[in-house]
Amino acid sequence: MKIKETFLSACAVAAILAGTAACTSDGDRPTAKATATAETLCEGGAYSWFNVDRRDVLTGVADKETIGKKGARLTHKLAPLHTARTAVTFEKGSLAGEAKAALRSLAVLIGEANADDDAVSTEFTNVHRSVPDLNSGSITIDDVGTFVQYAWVKQVTADFRYTCQDGKPVTGRATGWVIDGSGLLECSTPIKNAKEGQPALAAARLSCDPDAPAAKA
């Protein structure tokens, strides 16, 4: 079966049909330094990160679509399930200029930015970042069957503590996403290495029949 997929990516991501497994990492993380602005409580401080959680989240899914001829284009639209967010919340409310600095520190921690580069070139730090368009592409298949389109993001959430010599520590939480992609599954075909939490498995359970092979882990 030949399948054409469209992918929206915030960084390089391999084309997949079955999604990727979710993973969670808890515990203290190394301190990632960041330069504060004049509007913060103190300058020259550092961010310490903990409760870092990375997981693939299903953001949209279409109703199943039965195709009876080869070379057909899928037409069902994806319905939104989860909106990807880029945000920072502080213990004492939002501090001017701090959201981007916190996100940059987290970007360095997870490898989305270079600690030695003052210029932030990643969208991960953009609090006004546009959410992925679930229906910007199309898929044409060269086989028959019952198909489901879905979309997902790799979401990153972490708690932080900002400290420096001249001010009181500030704590908060940052949320962002590093990859957004789309996938396709066929309801009568089991998902290879299916695991709980996979976007593909979640999509199959939402749109395929309950006893469909694709809906079973």
Side-chain angles (χ1 to χ4, degrees), residues 4-179:
K4 296 180 180 178
E5 290 196 53
T6 57
F7 274 77
L8 304 173
S9 179
C11 62
V13 56
I16 58 170
L17 292 181
T20 53
C23 60
T24 301
S25 177
D26 292 319
D28 290 343
R29 291 287 178 166
T31 297
K33 292 187 176 181
T35 300
T37 69
E39 298 173 283
T40 62
L41 294 180
C42 55
E43 296 183 1
Y47 289 91
S48 297
W49 295 93
F50 52 99
N51 295 334
V52 181
D53 182 90
R54 311 184 197 196
R55 67 181 64 203
D56 297 334
V57 180
L58 185 68
T59 56
V61 65
D63 290 336
K64 63 183 179 181
E65 189 167 357
T66 300
I67 300 299
K69 62 178 181 179
K70 295 183 178 181
R73 184 171 66 88
L74 299 180
T75 60
H76 288 183
K77 299 293 185 181
L78 278 72
L81 296 174
H82 172 84
T83 301
R85 297 177 63 247
T86 300
V88 178
T89 55
F90 294 88
E91 180 183 25
K92 297 181 180 180
S94 178
L95 300 177
E98 270 298 282
K100 187 173 183 178
L103 287 166
R104 167 153 170 68
S105 175
L106 181 56
V108 172
L109 180 71
I110 64 175
E112 287 296 305
N114 191 329
D116 299 325
D117 186 3
D118 291 334
V120 179
S121 59
T122 174
E123 274 289 281
F124 186 81
T125 63
N126 182 8
V127 294
H128 302 296
R129 185 181 188 182
S130 299
V131 300
D133 185 347
L134 297 180
N135 293 291
S136 63
S138 62
I139 296 178
T140 300
I141 61 172
D142 191 22
D143 207 342
V144 298
T146 300
F147 299 90
V148 173
Q149 300 180 71
Y150 63 94
W152 55 277
V153 296
K154 182 174 288 295
Q155 180 177 280
V156 181
T157 302
D159 297 320
F160 66 84
R161 177 183 172 93
Y162 180 79
T163 56
C164 60
Q165 294 181 347
D166 301 327
K168 295 181 179 180
V170 175
T171 58
R173 166 167 288 201
T175 300
W177 46 277
V178 295
I179 297 172

